[in-house]
Amino acid sequence: MDDAAADQDVNKRVLMAVIHIIEAWMERDRGALARINGGASRPDSVLGEKSKRAYSVLKQYLPSHAHANLVAGIAGIAPRATAGVGETARRWARPEDRVRVARALLASAARAQSAAEEREERARIAAELEAARLAAEAERLAAEEARRAAEAESEARRRAERARVLARYRGEADAELRRDFLGADAWFDSWDTGGHVARSDFEDWKAAFVQNWAREVLHDDKFDIQQARAVSTTSHDLRLVARAGSGKTRTIVTRALFLQLHCRVDPGGILLVAFNRKAVEEISKRLGEALPKGARLPHVVTFHALAYALLRPEEELVFDDSESLAQSRKVQAVVNDLIVERKDDVRRAMLGHFTDDWKRIQQRGLHMSREEFFASRAEVTRVTLGGEYVKSFGERLIANTLFEHGVEYKYERNFTRGGFNYRPDFTVLVNWKPRVVIEYFGITDDPQYQRNADTKREFWAQQSDVVFLEYDPSQIVSLGEEGFRDQVLAALDHAEIPHRSLSEDEIWERVRQRAIDTFSKTLRGFVNRARQHNLSPDDIRQRMYALQDPGDGVVAFLELAGDVLEEYLNRARRDGFEDFSGVMWRAAAEVRRGRATWTRAGGKEHGDLRDLRFIHVDEFQDFSEMFMDFVQAIRVQAPGSSLCCVGDDWQAINGFAGADLRFFENFETDFPKAVTHQLVTNYRSGGRIVSAGNAVMDGFGEPARSFQSRSGSIHIARLTDFEPSPTERHVFQGDVGTPALLRLIKSGLNETEGTVAVLFRRNTVPWFTNTGQGAFVRKLDGYLTHLRGHFSEDDGKRLEVTTSHKYKGRESDFVIVADADKKSYPLIHPTVELFEVFGDTVDSLTDADRRLFYVATTRAESSLCYLVSSEDPSSFLGAVMAMARPVDWRALPIAVSDADAQVEVRVYDGFEVRQRLKDEFGFQFDESTKVWYVFRPADGFDFRHIQQVLSFVGPRLIEVRDETQRVIHRAGARLERGRPM
């Protein structure tokens, strides 16, 4: 039988099997009908076998997908259990219906089979393609791996070969570096290495050579590769950016030693210039210790000493330093005569300085957002008639109103009551007790600021013995300056505070000494700045005319300042004296005209500018036009000399002395062949402290890296969270800053065997102090003496208190930045407007204060603490806040001596015996706790004796509390309506 006949036979068998299944349904239905009618029928088992054989045929001859489709189709037409008897037989009674349905089912099965086979074929083809792709990818990866292996092997051979070649060339280079280091750069340029040695290779070899030399000759195994690279750069002018603690002095000293000892440069050809005698002494000491005994040192001088040695002026040299204030005295002599001869002009200028900025405030407007407030806060920082530095025009207006009307007040005097501790803007005292508190809320749209204001309002609403007054900018805007003054005075009247309008003469007499001191100090600084810029009186006047809308006080001062400068210069010519600035400018001019030799140190040191080969300048960030002019004049005489300038733009804090950072920033423009290297590894401070410094200066240059394995600690101490103990409240009445600071100092002294440095922004303590020692104690020298009095002699010697400015270049184990507030950093001095003629701007001075904050931060070796003495920390803290931990004041021991320890004696419900408590025993009433209290020394305290002397209080409760507020004695009971409870 052929294939076609076979297929036909199969189709017939399958068709008949489907028909047999249908017929079996019909027979079963007929049998059921017969049984109902009492007739005979074929057994269901026989019919079941018939169906079974039919299904077997289907399974035998149909492919799987066709079989499944057909069986499903048959199930779809099979009789339902709900079908009536005889219905199935009637449905399929016609043979042609059975054949038609069977053929339809077979056709559907055939289609299902065909579709399934197509799907399988597509899947097979896809699988074959995927397998082929994977095989190809595996082959590609294998080839890639083989290629990489071959390249790696080739690279290894190339590196090995290059290492062998470089080793040979390095040997030649090292020999040349030993023979003629200074000529090695030129030698390299003519060296034919077939391209095997790059300039970068040679620079690396030079740095490594210097590092090995320092290790072998100076026994310095800590001289790092960055420092060595600075030493090895000898053929170009060099700017060395040296971050805090990176070893800049060590680097320039090593450079001078290397030039003298290895490069055989005559010491007379090496010049190291520092900015002060202390730095000269330090550099000279290090050079002397490293050089062979009897060897001649390179020239180490200050700019001023070099200029003086070159010029040898016949005039008397006047200058200011730690031992002499000769120049200030010369200026002061002019000022003294001016004060006598033109006292009305001086008086007008200084009173204007203290009061005259209403016009400018009106132009700016007083409604500002928080961002605008703090952006312009520095601009409106002013000094009041009473001498306070205040945060806003509104505060100054209030302070001056009180002062001009003879009202005694304290600015930001601490107020502690019932656990609430803060410093209100103004506290008006009557018989030395707070009677009125005035707050000026200068920010109108900051939610946190308003929440703090609401907290203060709620607190004062509960105090019955103190009148609370509050003001804001809108009142000044709506009422004007005079109307606002009247409103403040009316409120004082209502509070029964006596006042009267002082005459202008009375006001002047009250501020005269301080005003004249301020005037004199400002004029001395003004004359120094003018001399540093080499400005004549006419130059000053021209710059004054160029100012945009200066205030009357500014014009009055500048007119006087120009006259003082003119008279100072006249007296210098007439009396035969000269200051260092004049010497510098004249020396530069003389050097350009050919003067080159100098003699100094009593004839022991001789020099010739024409012999100079290497010039080193320390603290280059403090360069000014005067110093630049001098250096360029020296280069005229020594055109082949190499200049190495070392400094840190992050530590440029001497703009007030004429320094201009643009000379540091534009170094490669001013010296076109110059290169720059960085020293960024901080060897001084722990990692967290280095990170804090980087955070302060984020975005302003290359960050520093920490070398120390220790991380160091950073804390934020908020004075607003500090609650003094009873002894601290008693010893430091109204002064919360000092006991808090003493706790931090004691913690630092306990933590380290080294020093603790307390750094302030100004030379005065920024908070109210109550020492009974007069105003002197607010000066830092006096304050240091005061603080040391609370420690043993040995511990006191480990404590330093100074300004951040003065502590530059120094370091301490534990540093406390004592006024890390917005009002201190930045602090733009109230005289800023008077110095605009020298180019000072608020922005430039704010940037300088950021750098000062960085200097304060980076003085710490192991521990750093920022004391935030107001509600607003300095904006310079920024990201530092996230890396610092808050101080737990309760964990710090109080820092008063045992002899000062006090206990607090309390009497409750003492209204009826109040007079005896006050008059005989000095008790005071605390409004918040509603108790009468007095302090007594803890040493030798006898409670029985107290009970005896206070027997008149009867059954009332008497308590005695120690430093921690723990009740240590108790007698009696609380009363209710005069009866025991």
Side-chain angles (χ1 to χ4, degrees), residues 96-166:
E96 56 271 26
D97 288 340
R98 296 196 292 273
V99 173
R100 176 180 55 76
V101 169
R103 285 177 175 168
L105 291 172
L106 288 173
S108 175
R111 288 193 297 274
Q113 182 64 34
S114 177
E117 289 175 352
E118 288 178 3
R119 288 196 299 273
E120 290 175 352
E121 180 64 14
R122 286 195 298 270
R124 182 188 65 76
I125 293 172
E128 289 178 354
L129 291 174
E130 179 63 13
R133 188 191 67 77
L134 292 174
E137 179 67 11
E139 185 177 353
R140 187 191 66 77
L141 292 175
E144 179 70 16
E145 182 64 25
R147 184 186 64 77
R148 281 199 298 267
E151 288 180 352
E153 184 178 355
S154 175
E155 178 66 14
R157 287 196 302 270
R158 188 188 69 78
R159 288 182 178 178
E161 178 62 23
R162 187 169 188 271
R164 285 191 293 272
V165 172
L166 288 180

Side-chain angles (χ1 to χ4, degrees), residues 557-610:
F557 175 86
L558 292 179
E559 288 176 344
L560 291 173
D563 293 343
V564 168
L565 175 61
E566 187 167 26
E567 178 59 21
Y568 171 81
L569 295 175
N570 289 338
R571 293 189 185 189
R573 288 188 291 268
R574 185 183 68 230
D575 299 342
F577 68 82
E578 181 63 283
D579 55 42
F580 263 138
S581 295
V583 169
M584 287 283 292
W585 287 108
R586 288 168 56 188
E590 287 297 313
V591 168
R592 282 194 170 88
R593 283 193 285 267
R595 183 170 296 186
T597 60
W598 80 87
T599 302
R600 60 184 300 269
K604 296 178 181 178
E605 183 178 355
H606 304 272
D608 191 324
L609 297 179
R610 293 166 296 191

